[in-house]
Amino acid sequence: MSSSDETYERISYEKRQGFWDVLESPKVIHFVLALAIITVIVPIFWEVLTSLKTNEAVYNLNYFPQEPTLSSYYQVLIGESYWKAVLNSMIISTTTTIVVIVLAVPAGYAFSRYRFRGDNILFIGVLFSRLFPPIGLIVPYYQIMAWLGLLNSLPGIIIAQIYLWLPLMIYIMRNFFMSIPKDLDESARVDGCTQLQAFRKIALPLALPGVAACSILTFLYSWREFLFSLIITTDLTSMPISVAVYQFVGDVSVQWASLAAASVVAIIPTILVVIFFQRYIVSGLTAGALKE
């Protein structure tokens, strides 16, 4: 290679390196993070401001409420009895989380430790069951729930939630158990433990961060699920808050203040869960839950 070619390559490299140095500089990174935070926070802030107005005051050209009031919250929770929807969401999310974890943890352990004919096909089948677009399953889901007499009921919603989130949690738990050395199980077996005891005393305690992450994710996903709940619920006896919020959107008008108040009520539990349990989510997922 001639000296001119070497000079050209060096200049090209310096230009590329200079570009990446600027792109990865602290100022650019901080700007991107600030932009992301603003994108998330501003809609929530605007929603809170709107919820402090009346439905009539929303149409006044004022960014901030001139006479802040909690009347919208009173109307939503007490006047419209939407506290029932909050309670329904709590029951649905909690029950779904318990059932999913009880099934996903041993299933993930079995897929990570045992080898049998067709094990990969079975595991792929579990994942494939979740690859269908949910909206494509609405008709058969509705027909099955109608046949079982579970329309407008909490069990009907819980069954759909379990179907939606169980495959993903099995996948996460399987990969988490795969990050735990099998030698630990074998050492426990040598010391006289059965396979079940090795799972209960060795693998499960080490996998608790993954169990915590799956529990929190399942709860959050179940809390926000909308489509399947909308299909089979018609009143507040079984309607979760994610669907109840939509009731303030009418055919010819929208009760913006009430809608904003209901939305704030709906997101408060998820915000609290993320604030208090975010370290479990991060530690659970980074410790091996998403590693192959």
Side-chain angles (χ1 to χ4, degrees), residues 11-58:
I11 294 175
S12 298
Y13 172 78
E14 291 176 352
K15 287 182 179 180
R16 292 194 302 269
Q17 190 61 40
F19 170 78
W20 287 111
D21 289 341
V22 172
L23 193 62
E24 297 175 353
S25 64
K27 291 183 179 180
V28 174
I29 293 175
H30 291 162
F31 172 77
V32 173
L33 291 176
L35 185 62
I37 293 173
I38 291 173
T39 303
V40 174
I41 295 299
V42 168
I44 297 177
F45 180 69
W46 185 266
E47 191 173 69
V48 172
L49 291 180
T50 303
S51 69
L52 297 177
K53 302 177 182 179
T54 62
N55 287 312
E56 294 75 18
V58 170

Side-chain angles (χ1 to χ4, degrees), residues 3 5 14 46 84 97 115 125 145 183 193 219 227 246 255 262 265 280:
S3 59
D5 292 337
E14 291 176 352
W46 185 266
K84 297 179 181 178
T97 301
R115 290 295 172 265
M145 292 301 105
D183 295 343
C193 291
F219 183 89
L227 183 60
Y246 184 69
Q255 302 179 51
V265 171
Y280 295 103

Side-chain angles (χ1 to χ4, degrees), residues 148-208:
L148 295 175
L150 295 178
L151 293 179
N152 205 41
S153 68
L154 296 181
I157 300 176
I158 292 172
I159 291 174
Q161 302 281 15
I162 294 172
Y163 161 78
L164 288 173
W165 314 125
L166 180 58
L168 175 61
M169 299 311 153
I170 290 177
Y171 172 76
I172 292 177
M173 289 309 307
R174 169 202 178 249
N175 289 345
F176 199 97
F177 280 119
M178 289 179 66
S179 69
I180 300 174
K182 293 183 180 180
D183 295 343
L184 297 177
D185 296 33
E186 296 173 357
S187 298
R189 295 293 301 276
V190 171
D191 291 338
C193 291
T194 64
Q195 188 69 49
L196 181 59
Q197 289 174 332
F199 164 71
R200 182 170 58 87
K201 295 181 179 181
I202 304 298
L204 185 58
L206 294 175
L208 285 181

Side-chain angles (χ1 to χ4, degrees), residues 47 51 72-73 76-77 82 86 241 244-246 248 256-268:
E47 191 173 69
S51 69
S72 296
Y73 290 95
V76 168
L77 294 175
Y82 273 39
V86 177
I241 188 64
V245 170
Y246 184 69
F248 291 104
W256 291 110
S258 300
L259 176 62
S263 300
V264 171
V265 171
I267 66 176
I268 286 177

Side-chain angles (χ1 to χ4, degrees), residues 176 208-210 212-213 216 277-289:
F176 199 97
L208 285 181
I216 296 168
F277 299 105
Q278 61 176 331
R279 66 187 183 95
Y280 295 103
I281 300 176
V282 174
S283 63
L285 296 183
T286 58

